[in-house]
């Protein structure tokens, strides 16, 4: 099947990278090395797949589109490419970790489900060396946003709790076929050491962060009323008149640990 014959499917959020200079820049940013175990999410028409394979002994890919899977099988042997057929949102990335060597993850993530995929991947952070993704620029700006900015929110806090992240460079719409209506960015995510992730109950942390940003115009006194009262805010030295966007990640962790220690 030729590239011209494959029509991008909206339900899979497909926009295929086609600019060779951008592709080269992304591969150089990933820096794949022989002997490493790397998985690409959404290989599509192979724009990044083949350059990655050129630098690796073996590559794993996760793909949901049956036509693209057939195309990959036709072009590449199982000796150099392992294709995991199915939804990346349901895939067990931990199953690819072998011999204690950490997994590397890369890909052009479908924009329509990028946030759920990021949260799914975060659950495997302890077994991952790094992740390099292309995402909608707006999403990347939210991922790396600092407290007090308009972009800072739940996604910022929960990903920054688990990863050190950096926006590398932007990718214009013209680098894709079909061209999306938005700018894209490349982001690198490196899991933080487990010792630095100090929330005693990460599920509770997630619930508190979700509540704090659920109604952005309201103060912490209102958004966290199910978790904290005036005495709690005073004990932590936090102004209950602030909004969630003013708190850094460490402060959210302090709140969650305080609530967990209180046994609620």
């Amino acid at each position: 099947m030729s590239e011209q014959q494959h029509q991008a499917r909206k339900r899979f959020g497909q926009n295929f990278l086609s600019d060779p200079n951008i592709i080269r820049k992304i591969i150089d940013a990933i820096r794949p090395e022989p002997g490493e175990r790397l998985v690409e999410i959404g290989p599509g028409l192979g724009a990044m797949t083949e350059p990655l394979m050129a630098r690796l002994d073996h590559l794993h890919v996760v793909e949901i589109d049956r036509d693209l899977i057939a195309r990959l099988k036709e072009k590449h042997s199982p000796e150099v490419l392992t294709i995991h057929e199915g939804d990346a949102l349901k895939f067990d990335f931990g199953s690819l970790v072998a011999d204690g060597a950490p997994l590397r993850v890369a890909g052009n993530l479908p924009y329509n489900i990028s946030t759920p995929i990021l949260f799914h991947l975060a659950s495997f952070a302890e077994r991952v060396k790094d992740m390099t993704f292309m995402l909608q620029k707006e999403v990347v700006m939210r991922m790396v946003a600092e407290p007090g900015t308009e972009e800072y929110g739940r996604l910022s806090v929960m990903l920054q709790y688990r990863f050190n992240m950096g926006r590398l460079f932007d990718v214009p719409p013209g680098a894709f076929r079909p061209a999306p209506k938005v700018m894209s960015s490349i982001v690198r995510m490196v899991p933080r050491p487990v010792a630095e992730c100090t929330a005693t109950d990460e599920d509770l942390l997630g619930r508190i962060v979700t509540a704090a940003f659920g109604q952005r115009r309201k103060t912490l006194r209102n958004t966290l009323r199910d978790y904290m009262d005036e005495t709690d805010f005073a004990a932590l030295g936090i102004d209950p008149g602030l909004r969630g966007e003013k708190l850094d990640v460490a402060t959210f962790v302090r709140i969650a640990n305080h609530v967990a220690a209180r046994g609620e």
Side-chain angles (χ1 to χ4, degrees):
M1 180 184 294
S2 71
E3 294 188 13
Q4 288 74 25
Q5 288 176 312
H6 186 86
Q7 296 297 314
R9 294 190 166 103
K10 287 186 178 181
R11 72 178 186 274
F12 294 147
Q14 291 176 341
N15 294 93
F16 299 116
L17 193 60
S18 58
D19 185 316
N21 292 322
I22 292 293
I23 294 167
R24 189 178 309 113
K25 192 173 181 180
I26 294 171
I27 300 301
D28 287 343
I30 296 171
R31 297 192 302 273
E33 298 286 346
E36 292 182 327
R37 178 158 294 211
L38 190 147
V39 57
E40 180 189 7
I41 299 174
L45 293 169
M48 288 171 50
T49 308
E50 294 183 16
L52 286 171
M53 291 174 66
R55 299 198 193 185
L56 295 165
D57 301 321
H58 192 91
L59 177 67
H60 293 261
V61 298
V62 180
E63 178 58 64
I64 194 171
D65 188 316
R66 292 178 182 176
D67 290 343
L68 294 176
I69 290 168
R71 185 177 184 276
L72 287 167
K73 286 182 176 179
E74 187 177 324
K75 291 189 69 175
H76 306 291
S77 72
E79 285 72 32
V80 293
L81 181 70
T82 298
I83 303 168
H84 303 275
E85 304 179 25
D87 188 347
L89 278 171
K90 300 175 182 177
F91 184 70
D92 177 10
F93 287 89
S95 67
L96 299 184
V97 178
D99 304 322
L103 181 67
R104 305 191 70 198
V105 188
N108 173 15
L109 298 188
Y111 293 168
N112 57 340
I113 54 170
S114 57
T115 298
I117 285 182
L118 290 169
F119 277 110
H120 178 58
L121 288 164
S123 67
F124 301 100
E126 291 182 23
R127 289 167 281 181
V128 169
K129 178 182 178 181
D130 63 6
M131 306 184 189
T132 307
F133 297 129
M134 178 153 48
L135 291 156
Q136 186 174 335
K137 182 178 179 180
E138 177 185 344
V139 175
V140 173
M141 296 304 288
R142 287 165 50 207
M143 292 167 66
V144 303
E146 296 183 356
T149 62
E150 185 178 347
E151 295 87 0
Y152 187 74
R154 172 177 172 260
L155 186 68
S156 319
V157 175
M158 296 310 298
L159 290 183
Q160 289 175 29
Y161 168 74
R162 200 62 194 86
F163 299 93
N164 292 311
M165 295 184 294
R167 174 170 151 249
L168 303 186
F169 55 89
D170 295 336
V171 179
F176 299 87
R177 183 186 67 78
K181 297 179 180 178
V182 296
M183 184 73 78
S184 303
S185 293
I186 304 297
V187 63
R188 174 172 288 128
M189 307 168 62
V190 179
R192 296 174 62 197
V194 174
E196 293 182 10
C197 302
T198 56
T200 55
D201 185 338
E202 293 184 358
D203 288 338
L204 175 61
L205 172 65
R207 294 196 299 274
I208 287 173
V209 172
T210 298
F213 289 101
Q215 296 172 294
R216 291 186 70 101
R217 290 183 174 274
K218 291 194 173 184
T219 64
L220 295 170
R221 179 183 287 110
N222 293 308
T223 59
L224 298 185
R225 64 182 179 274
D226 291 340
Y227 300 97
M228 305 265 288
D229 59 24
E230 297 292 332
T231 303
D232 295 309
F233 284 113
L236 292 172
I238 298 171
D239 179 0
L242 294 175
R243 294 173 180 171
E245 66 201 48
K246 296 296 184 180
L247 304 188
D248 61 14
V249 176
T251 302
F252 275 112
V253 172
R254 284 203 300 126
I255 291 173
N257 287 350
H258 175 80
V259 174
R262 207 180 53 204
E264 294 184 13

